[in-house]
C-alpha cells in the first residue's frame, strides 16, 4: 500500500469517525431535549394534580380523533367514583352522560364535532357518584384548541352543588317570607275589620246616648250595647 492510499484510508476513517460522532451527538442532544420535555410535562402534570387535590372541579384533556385523554385530574375518583385510567383510555363515558341520572347530557358527538377550533361549548347537568350514588350538579365547559399542532379538547366540570343548594334554600326562604307577609296582611285586614265593627257601635251608641241624655230608659239601653261592644273589642285585643 502506498503512502497516498494510507493517507486516503486515514482520511476516510477520520470522516467516518466524525460522522459517527456527529450522529451520536445529535442522538444524545435529541434524547436530552425529549427528556427535558418529558420532565417538563410531568412537572406540569404534578403541579396540576396538586392544584386539583383540594377542589371538586374536574379537568380532562383529550383528543377528538380517538377520545383518548392526555390528562385526567386524579380527583375524578373522589368526586365521581370513576377510575381516571379508564377515562384516560376512553372519555366518552364521562362526556356523553352515562353518569347522568336524570336524562342525557346536552353534549353529543354531533355537538362536539360542531364546535369550531377556538370555540367553547357550555352546559350543565347532574352527575351520579358511581359508588355512593350521591348526585352532584356540574357546570360544563368544553374548549376546542390546538396543542403541539394537534386538535385537542379541554373539558372542565365545575361542581356547583353547594351553590345550587344555596339558591334552592334562598328560594324556599323567599317563598316562606312571601307566604308569611301575605298571612300578615290578611291577618291585619281581618283584625281591622273585626275591630272596626265594635268601635263603630261604641261611637254610634255613645252619640245616641248624648242625644237622648234626658231619656233614662234609652240611655241605659245604649250603655248596655256600648258595654257589650266594649267587651267584644277587649276580647279581640286579648286574642291578638
Amino acid at each position: 500500500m502506498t503512502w497516498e492510499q494510507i493517507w486516503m484510508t486515514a482520511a476516510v476513517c477520520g470522516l467516518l469517525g466524525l460522522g459517527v460522532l456527529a450522529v451520536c451527538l445529535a442522538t444524545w442532544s435529541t434524547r436530552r431535549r425529549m427528556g427535558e420535555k418529558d420532565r417538563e410535562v410531568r412537572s406540569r402534570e404534578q403541579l396540576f394534580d396538586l392544584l386539583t387535590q383540594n377542589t371538586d372541579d374536574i379537568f380532562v384533556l383529550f383528543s377528538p380523533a380517538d377520545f383518548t385523554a392526555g390528562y385526567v385530574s386524579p380527583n375524578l375518583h373522589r368526586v365521581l367514583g370513576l377510575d381516571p385510567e379508564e377515562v384516560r383510555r376512553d372519555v366518552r363515558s364521562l362526556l356523553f352522560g352515562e353518569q347522568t341520572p336524570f336524562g342525557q347530557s346536552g353534549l353529543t358527538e354531533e355537538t362536539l364535532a360542531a364546535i369550531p377550533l377556538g370555540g367553547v361549548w357550555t352546559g350543565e347537568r347532574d352527575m351520579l357518584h358511581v359508588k355512593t350514588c350521591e348526585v352532584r350538579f356540574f357546570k360544563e365547559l368544553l374548549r376546542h384548541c390546538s396543542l403541539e399542532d394537534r386538535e385537542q379538547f379541554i373539558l372542565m366540570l365545575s361542581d356547583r352543588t353547594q351553590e345550587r343548594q344555596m339558591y334552592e334554600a334562598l328560594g324556599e326562604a323567599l317563598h316562606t317570607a312571601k307566604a308569611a307577609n301575605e298571612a300578615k296582611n290578611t291577618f291585619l285586614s281581618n283584625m281591622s275589620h273585626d275591630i272596626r265593627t265594635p268601635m263603630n257601635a261604641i261611637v254610634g251608641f255613645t252619640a245616641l246616648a248624648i242625644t237622648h241624655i234626658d231619656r233614662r230608659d234609652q240611655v241605659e239601653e245604649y250603655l248596655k250595647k256600648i258595654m257589650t261592644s266594649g267587651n267584644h273589642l277587649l276580647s279581640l285585643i286579648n286574642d291578638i
Side-chain angles (χ1 to χ4, degrees):
M1 179 180 294
T2 64
W3 284 105
E4 184 178 350
Q5 290 174 328
I6 292 172
W7 281 108
M8 287 291 294
T9 302
V12 170
C13 290
L15 290 173
L16 287 174
L18 288 174
V20 170
L21 179 61
V23 170
C24 290
L25 287 173
T27 302
W28 175 80
S29 178
T30 300
R31 288 180 177 176
R32 183 172 64 83
R33 287 196 301 269
M34 291 179 64
E36 290 177 351
K37 186 175 181 180
D38 288 342
R39 285 192 295 273
E40 183 181 351
V41 170
R42 286 196 298 270
S43 177
R44 286 201 302 263
E45 287 190 359
Q46 289 173 359
L47 176 61
F48 211 60
D49 289 348
L50 289 173
L51 293 174
T52 57
Q53 278 182 356
N54 298 318
T55 180
D56 290 341
D57 293 345
I58 297 168
F59 298 89
V60 179
L61 174 67
F62 69 94
S63 167
D66 55 7
F67 292 100
T68 58
Y71 177 80
V72 177
S73 56
N75 61 349
L76 180 67
H77 183 267
R78 174 175 56 82
V79 177
L80 289 175
L82 295 173
D83 183 358
E85 288 304 318
E86 290 184 4
V87 173
R88 187 186 290 268
R89 289 190 291 270
D90 190 341
V91 301
R92 280 174 288 193
S93 61
L94 178 65
L95 284 175
F96 302 131
E98 290 185 9
Q99 305 304 123
T100 306
F102 310 119
Q104 294 297 311
S105 165
L107 181 63
T108 64
E109 292 195 37
E110 292 76 15
T111 305
L112 190 71
I115 302 173
L117 189 64
V120 174
W121 177 89
T122 59
E124 58 184 38
R125 59 170 155 153
D126 290 308
M127 298 186 74
L128 193 68
H129 193 292
V130 297
K131 302 292 177 59
T132 65
C133 295
E134 176 189 7
V135 177
R136 293 195 178 197
F137 175 68
F138 288 90
K139 293 281 189 180
E140 299 175 279
L141 185 145
L142 196 63
R143 180 179 293 277
H144 190 184
C145 58
S146 177
L147 296 175
E148 299 177 350
D149 298 326
R150 292 186 301 171
E151 284 193 43
Q152 300 282 326
F153 278 94
I154 300 173
L155 171 68
M156 183 180 75
L157 295 173
S158 181
D159 186 356
R160 302 294 180 86
T161 306
Q162 291 185 350
E163 181 180 311
R164 183 171 71 172
Q165 290 173 346
M166 180 186 69
Y167 280 123
E168 289 176 350
L170 288 174
E172 291 178 0
L174 180 60
H175 177 74
T176 301
K178 286 182 177 179
N181 189 60
E182 290 175 1
K184 180 198 70 175
N185 290 336
T186 301
F187 172 79
L188 291 177
S189 176
N190 291 337
M191 285 299 99
S192 176
H193 176 268
D194 290 344
I195 291 173
R196 189 178 293 109
T197 300
M199 282 298 298
N200 287 335
I202 291 171
V203 172
F205 285 122
T206 300
L208 289 174
I210 293 173
T211 302
H212 301 90
I213 192 68
D214 56 338
R215 302 180 61 177
R216 181 181 177 87
D217 54 342
Q218 285 189 349
V219 170
E220 288 181 351
E221 186 65 25
Y222 296 150
L223 290 176
K224 289 178 181 178
K225 292 181 179 180
I226 291 171
M227 179 65 71
T228 300
S229 297
N231 288 332
H232 179 54
L233 179 61
L234 181 61
S235 176
L236 289 174
I237 294 173
N238 289 335
D239 289 341
I240 294 173

